[in-house]
Amino acid sequence: MFHYLKYFLFHAIGLLAAAAMFLGSDWIIYGLISIFGGYIVLDAVLGDDTTTPDFKHPGILTAQLWLALPLLSLIVFAYFWQVSAGDLFGLGEMLTSLTGYDVLAAKAEGSWVSDLCALLMTGLMIGMVGTITGHELTHRTWDPTSMFIGRWLLAFSFDVAFAVEHVYGHHRYVSTKHDPATAPRGRNVYFHVLASTIKGNISALKLEAERLRKMGHNPLSIRNSVLRGYGMSAIIVALAYLAGGIETMLMFIGAGLFGKALLEIVNYMEHYGMVRNPELPVQPRHSWNTNKRFSSWTMFNLTRHSHHHAHGEVPYQDLRPYPEAPTMINGYLTTIVVAMIPPLWHYLMTPKVLEWDEKYASDEEKVLAAEANRISGIKALTERG
């Protein structure tokens, strides 16, 4: 039973974020610090999880994924309410009456700092509750319910195109020059966020147009799932406008873009500096892996990325830890923070990349790695060649 319950930590963190949003003012700041700090500390002290339980009731695990959509909707609604000028649907008055805590007064006391923290926390939840779960669900191309829920989860970060590009592009070309999401050696994370976003959307549009043409359909039609995805995101933006006007709409766009940026930072972390012949199968060595316990339990084993890319059809609960695979710096949020400080990132990752060349690369990949080192702009890599 414990192995089912541990994944509900994901939902508990989402509810914590929603509660902080309704409590308002300083509670939003405390909530953001608690979530970020909690991940960093707990990943550091709880160690690794390399267990591989045998789950006999996978339906429970799928339901946990589906619950992400109402959970994220609650968080984003709380955000709309918090940053809008009025009391949306009279919710503040109702909560004050039920709890005795004056949420309207707390909302009025909010500052630009609490508003910024609200944006960052909502973006973080869009990235975690939305993108992580949307990623898992849109891999289940055989299940229309999972695809429907997964695509709506991705719509909050303006990234329904991910459901096409990731499954049919990224998984095919990962760790090669053809993959927008794979960061070459020496690349700055902030440039990667922009480049991967633009090239990923172009790739998704090309892949979807190719699929529709093969079926005899016009790509510029309602059958185009990427274009429909843009429309889904536009609906959420319109709801933000209806909830609180231009200001609320812009605040939501900011949170959604931050959630999308987090995805691209994660892509940066997961495959930075990897090289591969695109004609050969993807192996566990072509992804940076981590088995940090808290990240694994609260991110549906996204951490077990080496197995995920070697066998993309395997559901999250059956992913194996591959402790012998290349290992990223730490847990996910810790590594995100490091990635956002480029000098620290290159200081810590350059030795790991060189170790990958020596320990994991095939003879052919050693040649590709030497060329990647030569053009990396990182002194320790160019000297190694």
Side-chain angles (χ1 to χ4, degrees), residues 303-322:
T303 51
R304 298 182 174 186
H305 214 61
S306 290
H307 188 193
H308 171 67
H309 265 283
H311 301 95
E313 74 285 354
V314 174
Y316 74 91
Q317 68 270 17
D318 294 330
L319 292 173
R320 299 195 297 277
Y322 281 99

Side-chain angles (χ1 to χ4, degrees), residues 9-21 27-43 75 117 120-122 124-125 128-129 294-295 298-299 333-334 337:
L9 283 169
F10 167 91
H11 306 85
I13 292 170
L15 290 172
L16 172 64
M21 202 72 69
W27 287 105
I28 298 172
I29 302 170
Y30 302 149
L32 180 62
I33 292 171
S34 297
I35 293 171
F36 249 106
Y39 266 96
I40 292 170
V41 172
L42 291 172
D43 271 336
I75 295 166
C117 288
L120 294 176
M121 185 159 64
T122 303
L124 179 61
M125 291 300 104
M128 287 178 54
V129 180
F294 194 69
S295 284
T298 57
M299 295 183 176
L333 258 68
T334 305
V337 172

Side-chain angles (χ1 to χ4, degrees), residues 34-72:
S34 297
I35 293 171
F36 249 106
Y39 266 96
I40 292 170
V41 172
L42 291 172
D43 271 336
V45 301
L46 293 181
D48 293 347
D49 174 26
T50 56
T51 60
T52 53
D54 181 21
F55 292 97
K56 299 186 183 301
H57 305 286
I60 296 174
L61 300 163
T62 298
Q64 288 176 314
L65 296 171
W66 291 355
L67 285 171
L69 184 55
L71 176 59
L72 184 58

Side-chain angles (χ1 to χ4, degrees), residues 83-157:
V83 300
S84 62
D87 182 16
L88 194 58
F89 298 127
L91 181 65
E93 185 177 345
M94 182 185 72
L95 289 175
T96 300
S97 175
L98 290 173
T99 65
Y101 175 79
D102 195 340
V103 297
L104 289 173
K107 177 180 176 180
E109 292 171 0
S111 64
W112 70 267
V113 177
S114 59
D115 284 347
L116 175 61
C117 288
L119 185 152
L120 294 176
M121 185 159 64
T122 303
L124 179 61
M125 291 300 104
I126 288 172
M128 287 178 54
V129 180
T131 304
I132 290 175
T133 319
H135 163 256
E136 175 69 23
L137 290 172
T138 52
H139 266 287
R140 304 183 180 194
T141 54
W142 61 90
D143 180 2
T145 302
S146 291
M147 287 295 296
F148 175 82
I149 294 172
R151 283 169 52 81
W152 272 108
L153 286 167
L154 294 170
F156 285 86
S157 57

